[in-house]
Amino acid sequence: MATETTQNGNDPKTLLDVRGLVKYFPIKRGFFRRTVGTVKAVDDVSFDINAGETLSLVGESGCGKSTTARSIIRAYEPTAGEILFRTEDGESIDLAQLSLTEMRPFRRQMQMIFQDPFSSLNPRMNIYEIISEPLLVHGIGTSDEREDRVAELLRLVRLRPEYMRRYPHAFSGGQRQRIGIARALALNPRLILADEPVSGLDVSVQAQVINLMMDLQDTLGLTYLFVSHDLSVVKQISNRVVVMYVGRIAEIGTPQELFDSPKHPYTSALMSSVPKPHPSQRSKRYVLEGEVANPANPPTGCYFHPRCPFATDQCKVEVPPLVKSKDGRYVSCHRADEIELTVN
Amino acid sequence: MTTETATDQTTEQPRGLDADPVISVRDLETHFFTDEGVVRAVDGVNFDVHPGTTMGIVGESGCGKSITAKSILQIVEAPGRIVNGEIQYRRQSGEAVNLLDYPANSGRMRAIRGGEISMIFQEPMTSFSSLHTFGNQIDEALKLHTNLSKDERFELAVDWLARVGIPNPSQRMHEYPFRFSGGQLQRAMIAMAMCTNPKVLIADEPTTALDVTTQAQILDLLQRMQEENDMAIVFITHDLGVIAEIADEVTVMYLGKVVESGPVNDFFDAPLHPYSRALLTSIPSMFTGSRERLPSISGSIPHPQNRPSGCAFHPRCQSFINGVCDIREPNLVSVNEEQDVSCFLYED
């Protein structure tokens, strides 16, 4: 467990407060499907999201960022930890403790947007059926009211309401992603979990969807948990960023803090790996050697130590807790206060 | 552990841009004859690749960049067919040949494909056969393109695996591809492409499926290989950041046509075509402020079957001239000594 986390648990601004979230997947082998090990996909992750902000989870593939988001919405059953969600009356409810029936009213308040706009829309349903399905499932409105709502949602995501009887194949990738956003908004959610929402789109279309998401946030007061491996997109959209490495949090900070003055050696390596936007900035490239640790068989101590240029003997045995550093940042590194890091 | 590697291309003149091109593509047209009609996937493409330099081909899905690359090696799948054009290639011996004079499955084309001109693909996971050991697959390339004995081939393959940074190379030769991670497979594919000592390497989105840290490793590796072997690289990508990192020259494609080409610095400092300019400003970057709205390009890429009339970009273009852009097709013309653009803003 982290000794000190980012939380100020009673702050009414906090919409979601994740404490010590753990998700292990069993590895099963053989005829009797015996459990022979565990994949520690998410291993003691704590962070909070304020109402109206965008918090991003970033990291390389396999770092547990999607699993974290899916555990919050209980698409996966968390192995341990608390998921404190603030209701509209200001009460704090631990979602991890709820049964699936008890979870239903909270599902309305949290919706997901998926990565692939081609496989996340049912090709046999028209746009009206796709967007009104959440309303139908939750028994909201009459058929006429639902149609009005769908038209309103389509206008909100800048699609023409006349298109609602068309099928997904008639739309481009960017338009389909906007249909996915309209579906997520149908129930007036307070929290949107967006898992790589622009990664499947052409670069000339990404900006449209990012701008739309930021506009909707302003007009509807939405809160986003944004999962992405694309650091440029994350910088564009986030208020705060959680950097994950092999199921654990390396560092939390604003995009500017992480980019200008990273505290964790992994953050610094990650930021340095991003291609520079102009050929004149080609300089020394900082190349992180080796491979991401295997979450089924992670190294001892700090998971990053085999790749870390600053690792000491302490790093090899002791897991660094996520603590507040001298200048108020959250970082899990034994040497955070001693080492000077830059992004080059 | 980490290393720091200098990529000091900005200080010295990129090598070989003044040298005679090793590959000249002229008026290349590759069409797909589908049941719904003919798709002009590559529709009159021209560019030169100079020895020891990197030509970046930029474009989004459907722009024909991958088909252009496959056309060079004549590995376009049916119903696609190269219907017109020339691909002039200067061989190791100095002899200049038009690759399109050789039938796709002729001995001469096979000797070049994978030997003098190699290719690496986007998806390392699906580019290897899962039924053969990695060693068998690299050996196949060496058997075809070298006269070495079995032991020599094994040694050379192990040597290349070590050079691309795969640990325990001699043991890994006997393993199947599923034992490799994505980054390792991509490096193994580079080893396989490089072991025949090619003059030209065609890299089709080689880092798109990889994480940024692995991408940095692969770009670094490709640049080192290029310096050691004085090899030309044709680098295909939609990522302008990657272009800024490694290209010497840039060719921008949109719906099967070249819209702009020129040296990389000119492209980033003074892009000419409205599409290039819009791309450069609409892409989020680590170096712009956060929480700002981006200028976005309206609309989306048309389906290649519904190609707009005139200039294919005109429905999305900010500088659209009514009665011109939607009727006539612009030609690729030289604007100055280095830059070519296909847009009516630059035609008299």
Side-chain angles (χ1 to χ4, degrees), chain A residues 9-17 83-95 98 106 109 190:
Chain A
N10 295 319
D11 188 340
K13 288 204 311 282
T14 310
L15 179 66
L16 187 78
D17 185 353
I83 303 163
L84 301 171
F85 186 71
R86 193 170 297 278
T87 64
E88 271 153 313
D89 333 324
E91 222 183 319
S92 196
I93 302 274
D94 184 3
L95 300 181
L98 301 182
F106 296 100
Q109 302 183 30
R190 295 162 69 214

PDB file of all heavy atoms in Angstrom, chain A residues 9-17 83-95 98 106 109 190:
ATOM      1  N   GLY A   9      -9.282  13.032   0.725  1.00  0.00           N
ATOM      2  CA  GLY A   9     -10.496  12.251   0.527  1.00  0.00           C
ATOM      3  C   GLY A   9     -11.797  13.006   0.720  1.00  0.00           C
ATOM      4  O   GLY A   9     -12.794  12.669   0.100  1.00  0.00           O
ATOM      5  N   ASN A  10     -11.838  14.029   1.545  1.00  0.00           N
ATOM      6  CA  ASN A  10     -13.114  14.662   1.815  1.00  0.00           C
ATOM      7  C   ASN A  10     -13.349  15.898   0.964  1.00  0.00           C
ATOM      8  O   ASN A  10     -14.342  16.584   1.136  1.00  0.00           O
ATOM      9  CB  ASN A  10     -13.206  15.027   3.298  1.00  0.00           C
ATOM     10  CG  ASN A  10     -13.205  13.768   4.145  1.00  0.00           C
ATOM     11  OD1 ASN A  10     -13.844  12.781   3.788  1.00  0.00           O
ATOM     12  ND2 ASN A  10     -12.466  13.788   5.236  1.00  0.00           N
ATOM     13  N   ASP A  11     -12.439  16.169   0.073  1.00  0.00           N
ATOM     14  CA  ASP A  11     -12.590  17.322  -0.795  1.00  0.00           C
ATOM     15  C   ASP A  11     -13.817  17.128  -1.686  1.00  0.00           C
ATOM     16  O   ASP A  11     -13.899  16.164  -2.434  1.00  0.00           O
ATOM     17  CB  ASP A  11     -11.325  17.445  -1.659  1.00  0.00           C
ATOM     18  CG  ASP A  11     -11.304  18.729  -2.447  1.00  0.00           C
ATOM     19  OD1 ASP A  11     -12.394  19.316  -2.616  1.00  0.00           O
ATOM     20  OD2 ASP A  11     -10.222  19.126  -2.888  1.00  0.00           O
ATOM     21  N   PRO A  12     -14.800  18.023  -1.577  1.00  0.00           N
ATOM     22  CA  PRO A  12     -16.015  17.827  -2.386  1.00  0.00           C
ATOM     23  C   PRO A  12     -15.764  17.937  -3.885  1.00  0.00           C
ATOM     24  O   PRO A  12     -16.616  17.551  -4.691  1.00  0.00           O
ATOM     25  CB  PRO A  12     -16.947  18.947  -1.899  1.00  0.00           C
ATOM     26  CG  PRO A  12     -16.071  19.942  -1.236  1.00  0.00           C
ATOM     27  CD  PRO A  12     -14.871  19.212  -0.733  1.00  0.00           C
ATOM     28  N   LYS A  13     -14.616  18.461  -4.305  1.00  0.00           N
ATOM     29  CA  LYS A  13     -14.303  18.548  -5.732  1.00  0.00           C
ATOM     30  C   LYS A  13     -13.989  17.183  -6.326  1.00  0.00           C
ATOM     31  O   LYS A  13     -14.088  16.974  -7.521  1.00  0.00           O
ATOM     32  CB  LYS A  13     -13.075  19.446  -5.960  1.00  0.00           C
ATOM     33  CG  LYS A  13     -13.321  20.922  -5.732  1.00  0.00           C
ATOM     34  CD  LYS A  13     -12.319  21.774  -6.514  1.00  0.00           C
ATOM     35  CE  LYS A  13     -10.872  21.382  -6.365  1.00  0.00           C
ATOM     36  NZ  LYS A  13     -10.219  21.810  -5.130  1.00  0.00           N
ATOM     37  N   THR A  14     -13.557  16.246  -5.457  1.00  0.00           N
ATOM     38  CA  THR A  14     -13.129  14.945  -5.951  1.00  0.00           C
ATOM     39  C   THR A  14     -14.326  14.126  -6.410  1.00  0.00           C
ATOM     40  O   THR A  14     -15.207  13.825  -5.620  1.00  0.00           O
ATOM     41  CB  THR A  14     -12.386  14.188  -4.836  1.00  0.00           C
ATOM     42  OG1 THR A  14     -11.401  15.053  -4.307  1.00  0.00           O
ATOM     43  CG2 THR A  14     -11.740  12.941  -5.365  1.00  0.00           C
ATOM     44  N   LEU A  15     -14.339  13.757  -7.695  1.00  0.00           N
ATOM     45  CA  LEU A  15     -15.441  12.948  -8.200  1.00  0.00           C
ATOM     46  C   LEU A  15     -15.150  11.469  -7.988  1.00  0.00           C
ATOM     47  O   LEU A  15     -15.999  10.699  -7.587  1.00  0.00           O
ATOM     48  CB  LEU A  15     -15.656  13.225  -9.695  1.00  0.00           C
ATOM     49  CG  LEU A  15     -16.758  12.424 -10.369  1.00  0.00           C
ATOM     50  CD1 LEU A  15     -18.123  12.817  -9.814  1.00  0.00           C
ATOM     51  CD2 LEU A  15     -16.730  12.623 -11.871  1.00  0.00           C
ATOM     52  N   LEU A  16     -13.917  11.093  -8.258  1.00  0.00           N
ATOM     53  CA  LEU A  16     -13.542   9.693  -8.141  1.00  0.00           C
ATOM     54  C   LEU A  16     -12.222   9.610  -7.390  1.00  0.00           C
ATOM     55  O   LEU A  16     -11.294  10.370  -7.672  1.00  0.00           O
ATOM     56  CB  LEU A  16     -13.374   9.091  -9.539  1.00  0.00           C
ATOM     57  CG  LEU A  16     -13.133   7.589  -9.587  1.00  0.00           C
ATOM     58  CD1 LEU A  16     -14.439   6.850  -9.370  1.00  0.00           C
ATOM     59  CD2 LEU A  16     -12.538   7.187 -10.921  1.00  0.00           C
ATOM     60  N   ASP A  17     -12.186   8.702  -6.439  1.00  0.00           N
ATOM     61  CA  ASP A  17     -10.995   8.569  -5.618  1.00  0.00           C
ATOM     62  C   ASP A  17     -10.632   7.082  -5.609  1.00  0.00           C
ATOM     63  O   ASP A  17     -11.349   6.278  -5.032  1.00  0.00           O
ATOM     64  CB  ASP A  17     -11.319   9.085  -4.211  1.00  0.00           C
ATOM     65  CG  ASP A  17     -10.104   9.108  -3.323  1.00  0.00           C
ATOM     66  OD1 ASP A  17      -9.054   8.604  -3.741  1.00  0.00           O
ATOM     67  OD2 ASP A  17     -10.225   9.630  -2.193  1.00  0.00           O
ATOM     68  N   ILE A  83     -12.829   2.104  -4.727  1.00  0.00           N
ATOM     69  CA  ILE A  83     -13.144   3.024  -5.825  1.00  0.00           C
ATOM     70  C   ILE A  83     -14.235   3.942  -5.298  1.00  0.00           C
ATOM     71  O   ILE A  83     -15.413   3.612  -5.329  1.00  0.00           O
ATOM     72  CB  ILE A  83     -13.633   2.249  -7.069  1.00  0.00           C
ATOM     73  CG1 ILE A  83     -12.586   1.222  -7.502  1.00  0.00           C
ATOM     74  CG2 ILE A  83     -13.940   3.205  -8.212  1.00  0.00           C
ATOM     75  CD1 ILE A  83     -13.128   0.161  -8.419  1.00  0.00           C
ATOM     76  N   LEU A  84     -13.842   5.077  -4.726  1.00  0.00           N
ATOM     77  CA  LEU A  84     -14.807   5.960  -4.081  1.00  0.00           C
ATOM     78  C   LEU A  84     -15.359   6.942  -5.104  1.00  0.00           C
ATOM     79  O   LEU A  84     -14.611   7.716  -5.695  1.00  0.00           O
ATOM     80  CB  LEU A  84     -14.140   6.712  -2.927  1.00  0.00           C
ATOM     81  CG  LEU A  84     -13.545   5.804  -1.844  1.00  0.00           C
ATOM     82  CD1 LEU A  84     -12.727   6.599  -0.865  1.00  0.00           C
ATOM     83  CD2 LEU A  84     -14.656   5.041  -1.127  1.00  0.00           C
ATOM     84  N   PHE A  85     -16.679   6.879  -5.316  1.00  0.00           N
ATOM     85  CA  PHE A  85     -17.336   7.721  -6.305  1.00  0.00           C
ATOM     86  C   PHE A  85     -18.268   8.668  -5.554  1.00  0.00           C
ATOM     87  O   PHE A  85     -19.036   8.238  -4.697  1.00  0.00           O
ATOM     88  CB  PHE A  85     -18.130   6.838  -7.274  1.00  0.00           C
ATOM     89  CG  PHE A  85     -18.738   7.577  -8.425  1.00  0.00           C
ATOM     90  CD1 PHE A  85     -17.944   8.078  -9.448  1.00  0.00           C
ATOM     91  CD2 PHE A  85     -20.115   7.783  -8.495  1.00  0.00           C
ATOM     92  CE1 PHE A  85     -18.503   8.758 -10.526  1.00  0.00           C
ATOM     93  CE2 PHE A  85     -20.674   8.464  -9.565  1.00  0.00           C
ATOM     94  CZ  PHE A  85     -19.863   8.952 -10.586  1.00  0.00           C
ATOM     95  N   ARG A  86     -18.179   9.952  -5.860  1.00  0.00           N
ATOM     96  CA  ARG A  86     -19.035  10.912  -5.160  1.00  0.00           C
ATOM     97  C   ARG A  86     -20.363  11.032  -5.895  1.00  0.00           C
ATOM     98  O   ARG A  86     -20.394  11.364  -7.073  1.00  0.00           O
ATOM     99  CB  ARG A  86     -18.345  12.271  -5.070  1.00  0.00           C
ATOM    100  CG  ARG A  86     -19.037  13.218  -4.098  1.00  0.00           C
ATOM    101  CD  ARG A  86     -18.200  14.450  -3.861  1.00  0.00           C
ATOM    102  NE  ARG A  86     -16.917  14.133  -3.242  1.00  0.00           N
ATOM    103  CZ  ARG A  86     -16.740  13.946  -1.938  1.00  0.00           C
ATOM    104  NH1 ARG A  86     -17.760  14.047  -1.110  1.00  0.00           N
ATOM    105  NH2 ARG A  86     -15.546  13.665  -1.457  1.00  0.00           N
ATOM    106  N   THR A  87     -21.457  10.754  -5.188  1.00  0.00           N
ATOM    107  CA  THR A  87     -22.776  10.853  -5.806  1.00  0.00           C
ATOM    108  C   THR A  87     -23.169  12.321  -5.913  1.00  0.00           C
ATOM    109  O   THR A  87     -22.496  13.194  -5.370  1.00  0.00           O
ATOM    110  CB  THR A  87     -23.846  10.129  -4.961  1.00  0.00           C
ATOM    111  OG1 THR A  87     -23.922  10.805  -3.715  1.00  0.00           O
ATOM    112  CG2 THR A  87     -23.492   8.677  -4.754  1.00  0.00           C
ATOM    113  N   GLU A  88     -24.290  12.554  -6.605  1.00  0.00           N
ATOM    114  CA  GLU A  88     -24.721  13.948  -6.788  1.00  0.00           C
ATOM    115  C   GLU A  88     -25.076  14.612  -5.458  1.00  0.00           C
ATOM    116  O   GLU A  88     -25.001  15.830  -5.326  1.00  0.00           O
ATOM    117  CB  GLU A  88     -25.905  14.011  -7.768  1.00  0.00           C
ATOM    118  CG  GLU A  88     -25.415  14.144  -9.192  1.00  0.00           C
ATOM    119  CD  GLU A  88     -26.379  13.575 -10.215  1.00  0.00           C
ATOM    120  OE1 GLU A  88     -26.876  12.449 -10.013  1.00  0.00           O
ATOM    121  OE2 GLU A  88     -26.616  14.267 -11.218  1.00  0.00           O
ATOM    122  N   ASP A  89     -25.464  13.812  -4.437  1.00  0.00           N
ATOM    123  CA  ASP A  89     -25.773  14.402  -3.125  1.00  0.00           C
ATOM    124  C   ASP A  89     -24.507  14.604  -2.298  1.00  0.00           C
ATOM    125  O   ASP A  89     -24.585  14.969  -1.128  1.00  0.00           O
ATOM    126  CB  ASP A  89     -26.728  13.518  -2.305  1.00  0.00           C
ATOM    127  CG  ASP A  89     -27.609  12.656  -3.170  1.00  0.00           C
ATOM    128  OD1 ASP A  89     -27.996  13.161  -4.236  1.00  0.00           O
ATOM    129  OD2 ASP A  89     -27.891  11.503  -2.783  1.00  0.00           O
ATOM    130  N   GLY A  90     -23.354  14.318  -2.843  1.00  0.00           N
ATOM    131  CA  GLY A  90     -22.119  14.570  -2.109  1.00  0.00           C
ATOM    132  C   GLY A  90     -21.669  13.394  -1.266  1.00  0.00           C
ATOM    133  O   GLY A  90     -20.676  13.462  -0.543  1.00  0.00           O
ATOM    134  N   GLU A  91     -22.381  12.278  -1.361  1.00  0.00           N
ATOM    135  CA  GLU A  91     -22.012  11.094  -0.598  1.00  0.00           C
ATOM    136  C   GLU A  91     -20.894  10.345  -1.319  1.00  0.00           C
ATOM    137  O   GLU A  91     -20.813  10.376  -2.548  1.00  0.00           O
ATOM    138  CB  GLU A  91     -23.242  10.189  -0.531  1.00  0.00           C
ATOM    139  CG  GLU A  91     -23.480   9.549   0.805  1.00  0.00           C
ATOM    140  CD  GLU A  91     -24.689   8.622   0.710  1.00  0.00           C
ATOM    141  OE1 GLU A  91     -25.690   8.998   0.065  1.00  0.00           O
ATOM    142  OE2 GLU A  91     -24.590   7.520   1.245  1.00  0.00           O
ATOM    143  N   SER A  92     -20.051   9.664  -0.577  1.00  0.00           N
ATOM    144  CA  SER A  92     -18.960   8.921  -1.190  1.00  0.00           C
ATOM    145  C   SER A  92     -19.247   7.426  -1.107  1.00  0.00           C
ATOM    146  O   SER A  92     -19.405   6.887  -0.024  1.00  0.00           O
ATOM    147  CB  SER A  92     -17.663   9.275  -0.455  1.00  0.00           C
ATOM    148  OG  SER A  92     -16.576   8.882  -1.208  1.00  0.00           O
ATOM    149  N   ILE A  93     -19.355   6.767  -2.258  1.00  0.00           N
ATOM    150  CA  ILE A  93     -19.737   5.349  -2.303  1.00  0.00           C
ATOM    151  C   ILE A  93     -18.552   4.533  -2.820  1.00  0.00           C
ATOM    152  O   ILE A  93     -17.924   4.919  -3.812  1.00  0.00           O
ATOM    153  CB  ILE A  93     -20.932   5.148  -3.268  1.00  0.00           C
ATOM    154  CG1 ILE A  93     -22.121   5.998  -2.856  1.00  0.00           C
ATOM    155  CG2 ILE A  93     -21.290   3.691  -3.413  1.00  0.00           C
ATOM    156  CD1 ILE A  93     -23.023   5.381  -1.843  1.00  0.00           C
ATOM    157  N   ASP A  94     -18.264   3.410  -2.167  1.00  0.00           N
ATOM    158  CA  ASP A  94     -17.187   2.551  -2.654  1.00  0.00           C
ATOM    159  C   ASP A  94     -17.750   1.570  -3.686  1.00  0.00           C
ATOM    160  O   ASP A  94     -18.400   0.593  -3.336  1.00  0.00           O
ATOM    161  CB  ASP A  94     -16.556   1.795  -1.488  1.00  0.00           C
ATOM    162  CG  ASP A  94     -15.370   0.955  -1.959  1.00  0.00           C
ATOM    163  OD1 ASP A  94     -15.029   1.032  -3.160  1.00  0.00           O
ATOM    164  OD2 ASP A  94     -14.796   0.238  -1.129  1.00  0.00           O
ATOM    165  N   LEU A  95     -17.486   1.842  -4.953  1.00  0.00           N
ATOM    166  CA  LEU A  95     -18.050   1.013  -6.021  1.00  0.00           C
ATOM    167  C   LEU A  95     -17.542  -0.413  -5.969  1.00  0.00           C
ATOM    168  O   LEU A  95     -18.217  -1.339  -6.413  1.00  0.00           O
ATOM    169  CB  LEU A  95     -17.719   1.616  -7.392  1.00  0.00           C
ATOM    170  CG  LEU A  95     -18.224   3.020  -7.673  1.00  0.00           C
ATOM    171  CD1 LEU A  95     -17.826   3.431  -9.074  1.00  0.00           C
ATOM    172  CD2 LEU A  95     -19.732   3.090  -7.532  1.00  0.00           C
ATOM    173  N   LEU A  98     -19.968  -2.832  -4.220  1.00  0.00           N
ATOM    174  CA  LEU A  98     -21.355  -2.978  -4.638  1.00  0.00           C
ATOM    175  C   LEU A  98     -21.566  -4.269  -5.436  1.00  0.00           C
ATOM    176  O   LEU A  98     -20.679  -4.717  -6.146  1.00  0.00           O
ATOM    177  CB  LEU A  98     -21.774  -1.785  -5.515  1.00  0.00           C
ATOM    178  CG  LEU A  98     -21.677  -0.403  -4.884  1.00  0.00           C
ATOM    179  CD1 LEU A  98     -22.180   0.642  -5.859  1.00  0.00           C
ATOM    180  CD2 LEU A  98     -22.469  -0.328  -3.592  1.00  0.00           C
ATOM    181  N   PHE A 106     -25.073   3.564 -10.866  1.00  0.00           N
ATOM    182  CA  PHE A 106     -23.789   4.260 -11.052  1.00  0.00           C
ATOM    183  C   PHE A 106     -23.245   4.071 -12.458  1.00  0.00           C
ATOM    184  O   PHE A 106     -22.512   4.900 -12.965  1.00  0.00           O
ATOM    185  CB  PHE A 106     -22.777   3.785 -10.006  1.00  0.00           C
ATOM    186  CG  PHE A 106     -23.203   4.130  -8.614  1.00  0.00           C
ATOM    187  CD1 PHE A 106     -23.787   3.187  -7.800  1.00  0.00           C
ATOM    188  CD2 PHE A 106     -23.067   5.425  -8.148  1.00  0.00           C
ATOM    189  CE1 PHE A 106     -24.214   3.519  -6.525  1.00  0.00           C
ATOM    190  CE2 PHE A 106     -23.490   5.765  -6.878  1.00  0.00           C
ATOM    191  CZ  PHE A 106     -24.068   4.808  -6.063  1.00  0.00           C
ATOM    192  N   GLN A 109     -23.936   6.826 -14.648  1.00  0.00           N
ATOM    193  CA  GLN A 109     -23.148   8.045 -14.466  1.00  0.00           C
ATOM    194  C   GLN A 109     -21.738   7.915 -15.018  1.00  0.00           C
ATOM    195  O   GLN A 109     -20.966   8.860 -15.007  1.00  0.00           O
ATOM    196  CB  GLN A 109     -23.098   8.388 -12.971  1.00  0.00           C
ATOM    197  CG  GLN A 109     -24.494   8.574 -12.421  1.00  0.00           C
ATOM    198  CD  GLN A 109     -24.473   8.990 -10.975  1.00  0.00           C
ATOM    199  OE1 GLN A 109     -23.559   9.645 -10.530  1.00  0.00           O
ATOM    200  NE2 GLN A 109     -25.499   8.595 -10.231  1.00  0.00           N
ATOM    201  N   ARG A 190     -21.614  11.570 -15.675  1.00  0.00           N
ATOM    202  CA  ARG A 190     -20.753  12.580 -15.065  1.00  0.00           C
ATOM    203  C   ARG A 190     -19.296  12.266 -15.346  1.00  0.00           C
ATOM    204  O   ARG A 190     -18.452  13.146 -15.343  1.00  0.00           O
ATOM    205  CB  ARG A 190     -21.021  12.637 -13.562  1.00  0.00           C
ATOM    206  CG  ARG A 190     -22.446  13.118 -13.279  1.00  0.00           C
ATOM    207  CD  ARG A 190     -22.871  12.786 -11.886  1.00  0.00           C
ATOM    208  NE  ARG A 190     -22.132  13.566 -10.915  1.00  0.00           N
ATOM    209  CZ  ARG A 190     -21.790  13.108  -9.709  1.00  0.00           C
ATOM    210  NH1 ARG A 190     -22.128  11.890  -9.356  1.00  0.00           N
ATOM    211  NH2 ARG A 190     -21.122  13.863  -8.883  1.00  0.00           N
TER     212      ARG A 190
END
